[in-house]
Amino acid sequence: MSPEAHSLSRRSFLRAGTAAALGLSVAGCGFASEDDPAGKAAEETPIDVKVDGDLVYFNWADFVDPAVFEGFEKEYGVKVVQSNFDSMEGMAAKLNAGNRYDIIFPTAKWSERLAAGGKLRTIDHARLKNAEAVFGGYDYFADPWYDPGSRHTVPFTMYKTGIGWRRDRLGDLTGSWDDLWNDKAKGKVFVLDDRDEVLGMGALKLGLDVTTGDPNDLARITDTLRSLRPRLRGFSSDSYNNLLNGNADMTQAWSGDMAAMLAQAEDPSVFGFEVAREGAPVNSDCYAIPADAQHPGTAMLFIDYMLRPENVKKNIEYIGYPMPVRGSEDTYSALVEPFPQCLVTTDDLKDDRYFRNGTAKGEQHRDAAWTDVKAG
Amino acid sequence: MARRNRSGTARPPGAGPAVSGARLWTWLMLPGTLWMTGFLLASLLLVATLAFGTTDPLGNPRFGLNTDNFAALADPAYRTVLLRSLGYALITCLICLAVAYPVAYAIALHGGRFKNLLIAAIVVPFFANYLVRMYGWSVVLSDDGPLLKALRAIGIADDGTKILQTGPGVIAGLVYGFVVFMIIPLYAAMERMDTSLIEAGRDLYGGPLRTFLFVTVPATRQGAAAGCVLVFLPAMGDFVSAQLMGGPDQIMIGNLIQDKFFQGQNWPLGSALTMLLMAVLLFGMLGYLRRTRKDEAEAVR
């Protein structure tokens, strides 16, 4: 496989289908558009920060306070055209199929992939009035591993992975991933329906790299997870509903979801959230502007608008995820007072705690390991 | 089956000259047939060729000529899941048959002027999105849901009883999802059935059960066979039921395929798995076709 990424637009995909139908397919032939130097230059051109049309917005559902959208529409006289994805893969597939958006919210790992594939415009931070609070306050994001110099992205939210549990049924836990093996919770344990998170949990328990693609490491991880399987009730990323409706006594959970649960729980003291001492995977979502965005200027204005302190506060309170914006820390710690471990500090931000992109072979090994874990 | 009636039985009087009638039918069928064949073949070929492909760093499928994806299917996990899916789909078929026969029988033979209303009552809920209905069903079956609460109240279930994340839970979801595909063809078969056969059965001293088993069931077996196919195929490929109602030990082949396409973004491996599933289903379909051909031959004779 060629190391450089090729885009596969909807048209070329159909063309590929036709070619295949005609029996013209040739080994190794990618059916992908060739590298386009003019397109590269366009991606690098700084974006004029001005209203150039309505904002076509693409994010997880419910990830921005509706009041913030309304404010933006009013102030700039534009409409926000919303659509949602339910997975990073789904988002990438839509982008690759040629759908055009002005702003998207990839995770760190996907930011790296999309930028490497020439799918993102560069963002000149100097043109964003409020970017200083991000890059001045959180050094880590000034030059993150996934996007050197943060040239294509601005960080949006941060989160960790830990264990949420029913304090009323299990009492206190020990603060280790071993807690998932707790006999009292047997048959009422969920893990996330997410390859990286589950394999990463096994890796951290064994002291291995969270994104290892090494077959020996993966064999050890799947062995460890096999012993968890009889205790598992399921794979589900709907962690807080599982806790709330009593199906789960304990579940692997994203910190932001647990914080969001606090708003819904009648009695938060019934629940707990801990982060394992062996280490917690950390992740961040980013703002990014696709290379083929039709209204990149409006997208720049939107990012700047989202970074205004009052909007950061509103969004944090609405979605329950902290944002790496200086001055927003108090808002978040007040929000997660019952679950202090939801806080993401600068100490948590470490390269080796992120899920990173592996080699093609490594990804294949991880896929196979995940099938083993899931299908048993 | 409708076609067999048209060609196999005498045409009603006054239906016009046979040639122009046949030509009309041909022309009417042509666009639909071309549409279906064209897109079926195109997508089939895409899946078949993708199965030999690879994935590029952005997760895009690339065509190629490697057989790694088929080699990967040797993983025993796939066999376990495939066999489990076959088992679930078969049990689903049997339960659907058991549920649908009395329903179709009652409506077709005793529905009277309420027939259409009753059929509508069965079909209308299916206008709601499948996923939404399944979500609702999973709420009904949940640990603190109404069903288990009621069962606990009358002492049939205890605190530890659960339906969700068990095999029966998944099958309950599948039956709920697909039973209508059994009821409708059975109903159609019973509508067409010559009811004097039932009277004849009674005249020959068959009790209600014997008459049902030896007269009604054989007379409607084509409807039952069609229903089985209509239930079995989607049940085999379903991933929603196992996702919402199943636990780690109830994963079905549809879930693995869905994982490959969405989560893993490994379309080539997903395609190879799809080919495997289709090969398995093809066996079932061939059996069905042979069966119906035999029936047709008998009917013609």
Side-chain angles (χ1 to χ4, degrees):
Chain A
M1 191 178 344
S2 60
E4 79 274 30
H6 289 263
S7 68
L8 189 62
S9 70
R10 188 205 305 258
R11 219 177 315 141
S12 66
F13 189 71
L14 285 178
R15 203 183 313 130
T18 323
L22 294 171
L24 294 177
S25 92
V26 181
C29 178
F31 299 105
S33 54
E34 293 311 309
D35 282 331
D36 164 18
K40 268 243 134 50
E43 283 154 31
E44 303 279 335
T45 316
I47 302 169
D48 282 337
V49 186
K50 58 160 206 264
V51 173
D52 51 8
D54 290 344
L55 183 77
V56 185
Y57 162 101
F58 196 37
N59 195 358
W60 303 96
D62 268 338
F63 242 46
V64 167
D65 185 341
V68 174
F69 282 133
E70 278 165 33
F72 181 72
E73 290 182 327
K74 239 194 199 144
E75 184 167 333
Y76 292 99
V78 293
K79 263 198 151 63
V80 178
V81 183
Q82 276 206 55
S83 47
N84 304 125
F85 49 76
D86 57 6
S87 69
M88 279 296 119
E89 291 79 8
M91 179 209 62
K94 287 259 176 75
L95 271 183
N96 290 337
N99 292 284
R100 301 179 81 169
Y101 307 98
D102 297 324
I103 188 150
I104 57 172
F105 295 76
T107 58
K109 175 175 160 175
W110 279 89
S111 296
E112 185 185 46
R113 283 173 82 167
L114 293 172
K119 292 277 177 192
L120 303 180
R121 291 284 297 258
T122 50
I123 293 175
D124 181 1
H125 303 141
R127 297 181 182 221
L128 296 171
K129 276 183 248 140
N130 301 309
E132 211 280 321
V134 176
F135 298 108
Y138 288 78
D139 287 350
Y140 186 82
F141 291 108
D143 189 28
W145 63 273
Y146 55 85
D147 185 19
S150 265
R151 289 184 64 237
H152 304 84
T153 57
V154 177
F156 172 50
T157 56
M158 317 178 280
Y159 49 98
K160 292 188 285 191
T161 314
I163 299 174
W165 84 97
R166 293 283 297 250
R167 210 179 267 283
D168 57 335
R169 295 193 189 159
L170 303 176
D172 285 336
L173 298 188
T174 65
S176 157
W177 287 115
D178 291 339
D179 286 333
L180 288 171
W181 277 255
N182 185 334
D183 279 331
K184 278 203 280 184
K186 199 170 179 179
K188 289 252 186 186
V189 179
F190 281 85
V191 290
L192 292 166
D193 190 3
D194 185 296
R195 182 192 80 176
D196 284 347
E197 291 288 0
V198 175
L199 295 182
M201 179 265 286
L204 286 166
K205 191 170 140 62
L206 294 169
L208 301 169
D209 175 11
V210 287
T211 6
T212 178
D214 177 74
N216 294 324
D217 286 357
L218 288 167
R220 287 179 61 199
I221 292 171
T222 47
D223 274 349
T224 304
L225 294 173
R226 195 160 292 131
S227 67
L228 179 63
R229 226 165 163 279
R231 300 149 185 277
L232 275 192
R233 178 134 189 211
F235 297 90
S236 169
S237 298
D238 200 4
S239 39
Y240 74 77
N241 275 321
N242 287 327
L243 284 175
L244 284 172
N245 67 19
N247 288 344
D249 280 357
M250 195 193 289
T251 174
Q252 195 184 11
W254 286 303
S255 58
D257 282 2
M258 293 302 291
M261 184 184 82
L262 286 174
Q264 295 197 27
E266 280 170 36
D267 177 9
S269 70
V270 167
F271 303 98
F273 178 71
E274 70 170 14
V275 164
R277 73 179 87 87
E278 297 93 341
V282 60
N283 218 326
S284 38
D285 288 346
C286 303
Y287 301 95
I289 302 176
D292 60 357
Q294 284 174 296
H295 317 114
T298 311
M300 287 290 279
L301 283 172
F302 183 71
I303 297 174
D304 217 11
Y305 180 81
M306 289 281 282
L307 293 176
R308 286 187 201 169
E310 69 271 22
N311 292 333
V312 170
K313 187 167 184 291
K314 272 188 206 159
N315 280 331
I316 287 177
E317 283 167 352
Y318 184 79
I319 65 175
Y321 281 76
M323 298 178 182
V325 179
R326 196 177 48 212
S328 69
E329 292 83 0
D330 290 348
T331 305
Y332 195 68
S333 42
L335 190 73
V336 294
E337 204 237 292
F339 295 164
Q341 301 206 34
C342 285
L343 288 170
V344 181
T345 64
T346 42
D347 291 341
D348 292 319
L349 297 166
K350 291 185 195 121
D351 288 0
D352 65 351
R353 288 289 179 263
Y354 269 93
F355 297 117
R356 297 175 311 281
N357 292 303
T359 60
K361 262 272 163 294
E363 292 289 312
Q364 256 176 37
H365 292 314
R366 288 177 69 76
D367 262 349
W370 177 230
T371 302
D372 276 353
V373 170
K374 236 185 143 172
Chain B
M1 260 163 295
R3 246 190 107 217
R4 186 179 71 83
N5 278 345
R6 242 174 256 123
S7 55
T9 59
R11 284 177 309 110
V19 178
S20 75
R23 192 170 296 160
L24 176 68
W25 287 121
T26 311
W27 282 110
L28 284 179
M29 277 169 56
L30 196 65
T33 312
L34 283 181
W35 178 273
M36 296 288 284
T37 319
F39 280 93
L40 177 77
L41 283 183
S43 49
L44 255 182
L45 271 168
L46 256 183
V47 171
T49 40
L50 258 184
F52 296 94
T54 52
T55 308
D56 79 6
L58 264 185
N60 291 312
R62 312 272 316 264
F63 293 92
L65 277 179
N66 77 61
T67 49
D68 290 1
N69 298 313
F70 290 100
L73 298 184
D75 189 330
Y78 292 119
R79 194 179 51 226
T80 314
V81 174
L82 198 62
L83 287 176
R84 179 187 300 144
S85 307
L86 274 171
Y88 283 3
L90 269 176
I91 297 171
T92 302
C93 259
L94 293 178
I95 298 177
C96 281
L97 268 177
V99 172
Y101 249 113
V103 174
Y105 187 88
I107 298 178
L109 301 177
H110 302 285
R113 62 199 171 90
F114 296 112
K115 262 187 199 175
N116 287 336
L117 193 70
L118 289 169
I119 285 296
I122 287 171
V123 174
V124 165
F126 280 73
F127 292 171
N129 185 294
Y130 178 62
L131 195 62
V132 173
R133 285 185 290 118
M134 286 302 230
Y135 251 115
W137 190 231
S138 78
V139 172
V140 171
L141 300 182
S142 76
D143 287 12
D144 296 333
L147 181 71
L148 274 175
K149 261 190 190 154
L151 289 181
R152 274 197 288 266
I154 54 173
I156 295 182
D158 59 36
D159 284 346
T161 312
K162 57 183 186 183
I163 301 174
L164 286 189
Q165 281 83 40
T166 65
V170 175
I171 292 169
L174 291 171
V175 170
Y176 170 74
F178 300 119
V179 71
V180 77
F181 297 132
M182 189 67 90
I183 296 179
I184 299 298
L186 270 182
Y187 168 79
M190 288 196 197
E191 276 273 82
R192 277 203 310 266
M193 190 176 118
D194 187 352
T195 45
S196 60
L197 287 176
I198 297 180
E199 285 160 30
R202 292 216 185 101
D203 284 349
L204 294 169
Y205 303 104
L209 185 69
R210 278 171 62 101
T211 313
F212 179 78
L213 285 180
F214 295 105
V215 178
T216 312
V217 170
T220 55
R221 62 163 183 255
Q222 290 225 343
C228 283
V229 170
L230 288 179
V231 169
F232 186 83
L233 292 185
M236 188 72 193
D238 184 70
F239 56 87
V240 178
S241 183
Q243 174 77 37
L244 293 178
M245 258 69 81
D249 294 324
Q250 282 82 41
I251 303 283
M252 292 176 70
I253 192 81
N255 299 88
L256 290 184
I257 294 177
Q258 195 232 15
D259 254 14
K260 300 295 168 213
F261 275 94
F262 290 91
Q263 275 210 21
Q265 235 202 359
N266 194 344
W267 292 18
L269 186 51
S271 299
L273 260 179
T274 308
M275 298 302 287
L276 176 70
L277 175 60
M278 281 174 58
V280 171
L281 292 179
L282 207 60
F283 267 107
M285 272 309 280
L286 285 179
Y288 168 74
L289 286 176
R290 262 177 52 189
R291 178 81 234 174
T292 48
R293 195 167 302 150
K294 230 167 100 192
D295 276 359
E296 269 186 43
E298 275 166 20
V300 169
R301 202 181 327 124

